[in-house]
Amino acid sequence: MSFEEFQNDARLYVIGALEQEETEEFENARKEFGQKGEEYIGECYALHEAFALSLQPAKASADIKSRLMAMVQERKKS
Amino acid sequence: MTLKSDPAVEIEDSSSPAVVAPSVPVPGAPSDLELMLAIQAEDPEALSQLYDRYNGILKALILRVIHNETEADDLLQEIFMEIWNQAKNFSAQKGKPLGWMVTLARRRAIDGLRKKQAYARAEERLQSETEQQPEAWVNNATQEEIAFGDTRVLVREVISRLPPAQQEAVDLAFFRGLSQREIAAHTNTPLGTVKTRLELGLKKIYDGLKELKDEL
């Protein structure tokens, strides 16, 4: 697998769109490309952030935060 | 560890085509990274601030996947609890806090969708929404909106440059967690075509984000 092919697959990989057999091939190439490959995969995760930021923010129910913080305080005590 | 009031220095990977946060923290407010470090030190106030900063984005993401307001709220709460519990696994060297949270939220939302076997119902809702709003994900941004520098508009503008078939393939893969084969079946399209659409679409978005980052 060339590095260009690896880059193509890396973008599919981070969104979970590789088929199983492709994933195995990708994982083998990942080992081959080492640090350079890992850095590229890391960059691809910016796609996740971008897709989330493309959405209009939604309003959460008002009591979610208070329930969350109560759970956190409870967890801290235990 | 307690939160500092000093202006934060955000550690970012300069090679990444990352984009800025939607709601830029006020000057002097802790950076996302500082909040994550404080959460790792079990400071509830840090989680509170992170929630205020990103609950809208994460709720939108969850809602986009599961199409149910009540379930989205419940899942949002669970995800922030998981952020609290799993914060120790976050590493700034692997990416930014928002990217980590989005990855976590997306995985939980897709898992939630499958576990609750709401897939069919969501599909019906999505189908209905798609018929009513064929371009619900992205609409063409105006130059005026872009000039305001709104990150969301800029990102949407990048995505809106994609042909509709590529947008659809990326949408189904990212927001619904469908595999290439599932997308092929869903859209009645040859598998090779789906792969090409995904490859081209993601490359264009990735390259567009790089350009965007340079502009910003």
Side-chain angles (χ1 to χ4, degrees):
Chain A
M1 184 184 285
S2 68
F3 192 64
E4 190 179 344
E5 289 169 330
F6 176 82
Q7 287 175 312
N8 264 335
D9 280 1
R11 290 187 286 267
L12 292 169
Y13 173 79
V14 297
I15 65 164
L18 285 181
E19 296 292 335
Q20 191 176 348
E21 62 274 16
E22 293 174 323
T23 303
E24 287 167 14
E25 193 183 347
F26 177 79
E27 292 290 2
N28 287 334
R30 182 177 185 168
K31 287 176 195 157
E32 191 183 318
F33 288 114
Q35 184 61 28
K36 183 182 170 189
E38 292 304 318
E39 283 173 10
Y40 192 79
I41 292 169
E43 289 177 25
C44 289
Y45 275 103
L47 287 166
H48 282 215
E49 194 178 317
F51 289 136
L53 291 176
S54 74
L55 302 172
Q56 178 77 45
K59 189 171 170 56
S61 169
D63 60 346
I64 295 295
K65 186 178 177 186
S66 54
R67 276 165 30 195
L68 170 71
M69 298 316 294
M71 285 172 69
V72 166
Q73 293 295 354
E74 195 61 35
R75 181 65 58 94
K76 272 199 83 172
K77 283 181 199 165
S78 61
Chain B
M1 176 178 175
T2 54
L3 288 175
K4 293 179 288 185
S5 58
D6 296 340
V9 178
E10 183 113 26
I11 297 173
E12 291 182 354
D13 177 358
S14 59
S15 64
S16 167
V19 288
V20 296
S23 53
V24 180
V26 293
S31 69
D32 292 351
L33 181 57
E34 284 183 318
L35 291 177
M36 281 304 298
L37 294 176
I39 292 169
Q40 286 176 338
E42 300 191 345
D43 179 0
E45 174 57 23
L47 186 72
S48 172
Q49 289 189 40
L50 203 67
Y51 179 92
D52 290 343
R53 202 172 284 175
Y54 291 119
N55 77 84
I57 291 292
L58 296 185
K59 168 82 183 282
L61 172 64
I62 299 162
L63 207 48
R64 190 76 178 83
V65 175
I66 66 175
H67 298 270
N68 182 293
E69 190 77 31
T70 307
E71 289 176 6
D73 273 337
D74 290 344
L75 202 48
L76 181 71
Q77 182 187 322
E78 288 176 23
I79 286 164
F80 270 96
M81 200 62 217
E82 190 168 343
I83 288 169
W84 175 260
N85 290 331
Q86 299 296 324
K88 59 185 179 299
N89 295 327
F90 168 76
S91 166
Q93 286 163 348
K94 291 182 180 174
K96 297 202 303 178
L98 178 58
W100 182 75
M101 290 190 294
V102 167
T103 301
L104 190 154
R106 173 184 177 253
R107 192 188 67 235
R108 285 293 305 268
I110 290 172
D111 284 352
L113 178 66
R114 289 175 175 159
K115 280 178 190 166
K116 290 171 186 172
Q117 298 185 328
Y119 199 104
R121 282 184 288 120
E123 190 164 13
E124 284 172 12
R125 289 191 197 106
L126 180 67
Q127 184 69 36
S128 168
E129 287 171 10
T130 304
E131 285 166 4
Q132 290 165 24
Q133 293 178 285
E135 293 185 46
W137 182 20
V138 286
N139 298 307
N140 290 332
T142 66
Q143 290 304 312
E144 186 183 15
E145 284 176 313
I146 292 169
F148 280 112
D150 182 274
T151 305
R152 182 176 58 82
V153 174
L154 289 168
V155 173
R156 287 162 68 102
E157 206 276 331
V158 168
I159 295 169
S160 72
R161 290 182 209 149
L162 265 55
Q166 289 176 20
Q167 278 189 35
E168 182 187 40
V170 173
D171 182 39
L172 291 170
F174 186 78
F175 289 113
R176 300 184 62 197
L178 298 190
S179 69
Q180 293 172 50
R181 284 198 176 88
E182 287 169 326
I183 295 169
H186 181 85
T187 59
N188 198 24
T189 306
L191 182 60
T193 305
V194 169
K195 184 173 176 65
T196 303
R197 286 176 181 171
L198 280 172
E199 285 180 350
L200 290 175
L202 290 172
K203 184 172 191 320
K204 287 176 193 169
I205 295 170
Y206 180 89
D207 290 345
L209 293 175
K210 267 192 162 174
E211 288 173 19
L212 181 56
K213 192 194 175 205
D214 291 342
E215 286 173 20
L216 292 171

